[in-house]
Amino acid sequence: PLSLHDALPICIVVPDLEQALAFYEGLLGFSVARRMEEGGAWLSTVLGIADIRATTIKMNVPGGGMVELLYFPDHPQGPRDLSLVSGGPTHIALTVADLDNLHQVMQQEGIHFVAAPNVSPDGKVKMAFCQAPDGTFVELVEERSLT
């Protein structure tokens, strides 16, 4: 059986590192745990790509978990055809305290939302999907008390 010792990080390849940091650190409050510049024969071997270089930034997520941003300066990323109903991983999900406020702040920063925050039919959550600058969908969920 598989034995995991740490939280399983989510890895996202980003085409613009500064833009990604502004989103994940600046808007969502993630904190940089470690930044590494990597390259050489070992990285080329494990990725199967000759002469590859990468900047890896491990970020702590408020409340627990980790996101790893990967930037490959010599391999520009083109547009991705992403959909919330594509096969495979489609998005990351985060629980937030005040979705309406976060939605307003993020919209002022030019972040695209699929729709404005909406309350679920059972009234338990308010939810919205946005897209990070790299195109990754982010589900933002505010849990609501039913008192």
Side-chain angles (χ1 to χ4, degrees):
L2 183 63
S3 174
L4 298 174
H5 299 283
D6 294 316
L8 188 62
I10 296 167
C11 301
I12 302 170
V13 174
V14 299
D16 184 319
L17 193 55
E18 296 311 313
Q19 203 176 42
L21 285 170
F23 179 79
Y24 292 102
E25 187 176 32
L27 290 174
L28 294 178
F30 293 15
S31 62
V32 175
R34 186 173 179 197
R35 181 180 180 133
M36 299 163 286
E37 300 297 329
E38 301 176 283
W42 179 82
L43 189 62
S44 292
T45 298
V46 298
L47 294 180
I49 301 171
D51 302 318
I52 190 84
R53 293 182 308 131
T55 300
T56 303
I57 299 180
K58 295 187 180 222
M59 303 191 81
N60 292 318
V61 177
M66 179 171 281
V67 168
E68 182 177 82
L69 302 179
L70 298 171
Y71 173 65
F72 298 101
D74 302 325
H75 296 273
Q77 303 299 308
R80 300 187 306 173
D81 184 22
L82 297 175
S83 165
L84 285 167
V85 295
S86 297
T90 60
H91 66 281
I92 62 174
L94 302 169
T95 301
V96 300
D98 184 350
L99 180 53
D100 289 328
N101 183 57
L102 183 59
H103 175 255
Q104 182 178 4
V105 169
M106 292 174 85
Q107 277 199 311
Q108 290 171 350
E109 293 296 322
I111 301 302
H112 169 74
F113 277 79
V114 173
N118 278 274
V119 176
S120 62
D122 63 7
K124 292 182 180 179
V125 298
K126 184 183 286 188
M127 186 174 85
F129 281 90
C130 68
Q131 279 187 284
D134 62 83
T136 299
F137 283 99
V138 179
E139 176 183 359
L140 302 169
V141 179
E142 177 186 318
E143 296 176 350
R144 304 177 78 225
S145 62
L146 299 175
T147 55

